Amino acid sequence: MDLPTVKEKRDSLIENEELCDHCLGRQFAKLGHGLENYERGLVAREIDDLTEDSFVESNVPEEASEKHRCGCEFCGIVFDELDHWTQLVIDSFDRYELETFLVGIRPPEEVVASEEELWSEYGTEWTEPIKTELSRLIGKRIEDRMDIVVDFERADIMAVVDMRDGKDRVELQVNSVLIYGQYNKYSREIPQTEWHCRKCRGSGCDECDWTGKQYPTSVQEEIQEPFIRESKAIEAKFHGGGREDVDAKCFGKREFVLELIEPLNRDLDLEALKKEVNEGTDKVEIFNVEFTHKDKAADIKQKHADKEYRAQVETEDEVSEEALENISEVVGVIEQDTPERVEHRRADKTRKREVYEVSWEVTGPKSFELTVKAEAGTYIKELIHGDEGRTQPNISDLIGTQAECTQLDVTWVEK
């Protein structure tokens, strides 16, 4: 069955329905450029031989804004109340710093039902949903009254206008402020993020001195406090590009994204905050701080960054220079079963990882310093001690005596 022409659809709508100019024009919203729907409605009434090319500015009647009528059984009085809805949104923004916004609409239920009936009868060719028109019109009014702009991709705040009966309210979806940076960790006593107490799981007990935490602080906590304070966010989330062990230092400038949840303030002086963090702690230092977006957080968490490590190793027996030369045999692909120390939180499986480079320097009769560059996800401590054979090959087997990593540093992280 052929679709009706623009004229046929217009004639049928005018003959059978009592449509206001907004609702008539909305049936042809995808025709023409630079017109409001009420102007399309006026064109549809004025031009007898209506075509797809009729919706141009030159066909809009003079004094159109004064001539058009709004309000019919299909839209009720929603277009009469545009200024009311606009002011509600502006008032809801009062506490927040923002540069971009987006408006969502929950139209009256009877309006949605009437619109769907109209579509079922006359089709959806060239049409626009009423909630889209309302969102656009309210958005334009807000842009005119405030120094902010609509952003469909990364709006600071989305205001959802609830026009349903008895609601008359605006709900705000405040998007996070995301800050990219890199950190070094200079303490061997703190994890990357807050750990709940193993005994009470965060509720507080004698063992954790009623803090609910396994460790007094963390990389996240050392960094986030000034950012939360200045943004007036309700909380923060820390997205790290991998993590080092609690007892390992990191000198490799590991990437992270700090997500500030529901902030009131967005205009943050990042250099001043970076300086405050760095001067306020000797446990952590941050670098290269800048605003970013949610895609960056996902990117660094999914990235498998190669790393270089420096390990202090002690052996059970003295090791000859000849035996130490065997360490080079770990270069290449190794197989590591899930280490015993993490099997309670990691899937038990065999992982293949590549060791790219190794070097060593003797520091004593039963000790040496090991440098390893390896693929992301390589367990370095297990590479050294073997984890009772769960890592193959391993350095303990290669040098002929048990070796233990007594100190580990991350010296380089791939960016």
Side-chain angles (χ1 to χ4, degrees):
M1 180 178 178
D2 293 336
L3 292 172
T5 65
V6 172
K7 183 178 185 302
E8 290 170 340
K9 183 172 183 177
R10 184 276 314 270
D11 291 345
S12 183
L13 285 165
I14 290 179
E15 181 180 351
N16 298 302
E17 310 293 345
E18 291 290 332
L19 295 172
C20 68
D21 294 328
H22 275 284
C23 291
L24 177 59
R26 196 164 56 256
Q27 309 314 305
F28 306 99
K30 295 179 182 178
L31 300 178
H33 299 284
L35 301 183
E36 292 294 350
N37 284 339
Y38 77 85
E39 294 174 319
R40 290 185 176 89
L42 290 170
V43 169
R45 296 186 198 280
E46 291 281 329
I47 305 298
D48 183 57
D49 192 18
L50 194 69
T51 69
E52 293 187 18
D53 298 326
S54 298
F55 297 96
V56 293
E57 188 174 355
S58 59
N59 284 336
V60 178
E62 292 183 9
E63 301 177 349
S65 61
E66 297 175 10
K67 291 179 60 177
H68 92 278
R69 60 190 178 90
C70 59
C72 63
E73 64 175 300
F74 295 98
C75 66
I77 60 172
V78 292
F79 292 104
D80 285 327
E81 296 191 323
L82 287 176
D83 287 336
H84 167 68
W85 301 117
T86 300
Q87 192 59 51
L88 276 184
V89 175
I90 290 174
D91 290 345
S92 73
F93 287 165
D94 185 57
R95 297 170 61 225
Y96 297 91
E97 287 182 353
L98 69 158
E99 295 180 352
T100 61
F101 73 100
L102 194 59
V103 176
I105 305 293
R106 294 193 185 113
E109 293 169 349
E110 63 274 14
V111 168
V112 175
S114 297
E115 181 175 63
E116 290 175 350
E117 289 179 10
L118 197 67
W119 288 347
S120 65
E121 181 69 24
Y122 299 97
T124 58
E125 185 76 10
W126 311 303
T127 62
E128 174 185 55
I130 190 171
K131 65 181 182 180
T132 304
E133 180 177 12
L134 289 168
S135 173
R136 184 178 63 256
L137 294 177
I138 293 172
K140 286 183 176 180
R141 281 167 164 77
I142 294 170
E143 286 182 320
D144 288 342
R145 299 184 193 181
M146 302 179 70
D147 188 23
I148 56 178
V149 296
V150 170
D151 187 334
F152 293 98
E153 297 297 325
R154 296 191 176 100
D156 293 336
I157 298 179
M158 180 173 182
V160 180
V161 182
D162 197 338
M163 301 178 177
R164 294 173 298 179
D165 185 38
K167 303 294 184 180
D168 193 31
R169 67 186 181 192
V170 175
E171 300 173 11
L172 296 184
Q173 298 173 10
V174 182
N175 289 325
S176 300
V177 168
L178 295 116
I179 298 163
Y180 168 85
Q182 299 166 6
Y183 76 80
N184 282 348
K185 178 167 86 81
Y186 303 135
S187 170
R188 300 190 190 280
E189 299 177 346
I190 65 173
Q192 185 186 79
T193 55
E194 180 181 338
W195 281 20
H196 286 156
C197 171
R198 293 189 182 94
K199 183 177 180 180
C200 67
R201 299 185 181 277
S203 59
C205 65
D206 288 332
E207 189 168 310
C208 64
D209 198 23
W210 301 99
T211 64
K213 300 192 295 185
Q214 190 69 28
Y215 298 90
T217 188
S218 63
V219 172
Q220 175 181 350
E221 291 165 278
E222 293 294 302
I223 293 172
Q224 72 183 11
E225 192 281 326
F227 290 91
I228 292 176
R229 184 194 69 232
E230 291 302 310
S231 67
K232 294 183 171 61
I234 61 172
E235 62 177 327
K237 292 182 180 179
F238 192 88
H239 307 279
R243 63 175 67 214
E244 58 284 316
D245 291 339
V246 172
D247 61 355
K249 292 184 178 182
C250 177
F251 301 97
K253 295 184 178 179
R254 189 183 294 275
E255 294 179 298
F256 71 90
V257 170
L258 184 67
E259 180 179 0
L260 302 171
I261 311 296
E262 294 189 25
L264 295 182
N265 301 332
R266 293 173 179 270
D267 186 16
L268 305 178
D269 186 338
L270 297 187
E271 283 301 310
L273 290 169
K274 181 185 77 172
K275 182 178 180 182
E276 181 176 346
V277 169
N278 291 343
E279 291 181 350
T281 179
D282 59 0
K283 298 178 175 65
V284 171
E285 184 177 7
I286 59 175
F287 311 86
N288 303 321
V289 178
E290 61 186 36
F291 291 107
T292 188
H293 48 79
K294 63 181 180 180
D295 294 342
K296 185 68 172 180
D299 178 53
I300 69 167
K301 288 180 75 69
Q302 293 171 5
K303 183 191 299 182
H304 296 286
D306 296 339
K307 301 173 189 69
E308 184 177 84
Y309 301 85
R310 180 176 61 238
Q312 304 303 322
V313 182
E314 293 187 1
T315 59
E316 188 173 321
D317 302 312
E318 291 189 22
V319 185
S320 67
E321 288 284 353
E322 183 180 2
L324 288 174
E325 292 294 332
N326 294 332
I327 292 175
S328 61
E329 294 183 25
V330 298
V331 174
V333 176
I334 65 170
E335 293 188 353
Q336 294 191 302
D337 292 345
T338 301
E340 287 185 320
R341 65 186 172 95
V342 298
E343 62 183 359
H344 61 286
R345 65 177 188 269
R346 299 282 174 85
D348 187 13
K349 63 180 183 179
T350 301
R351 298 169 174 84
K352 291 186 177 183
R353 296 290 185 263
E354 186 170 0
V355 177
Y356 304 119
E357 300 173 11
V358 293
S359 62
W360 59 90
E361 181 179 344
V362 175
T363 56
K366 296 183 180 181
S367 63
F368 59 92
E369 182 177 277
L370 178 73
T371 300
V372 180
K373 185 175 181 181
E375 182 182 354
T378 303
Y379 293 106
I380 301 301
K381 293 176 180 177
E382 283 67 23
L383 177 67
I384 294 169
H385 62 63
D387 201 19
E388 297 184 349
R390 298 168 70 87
T391 291
Q392 292 293 336
N394 65 75
I395 288 173
S396 290
D397 287 348
L398 291 170
I399 65 176
T401 186
Q402 186 61 38
E404 294 292 339
C405 176
T406 60
Q407 187 172 288
L408 185 66
D409 298 328
V410 181
T411 55
W412 173 81
V413 180
E414 180 186 23
K415 303 297 184 292

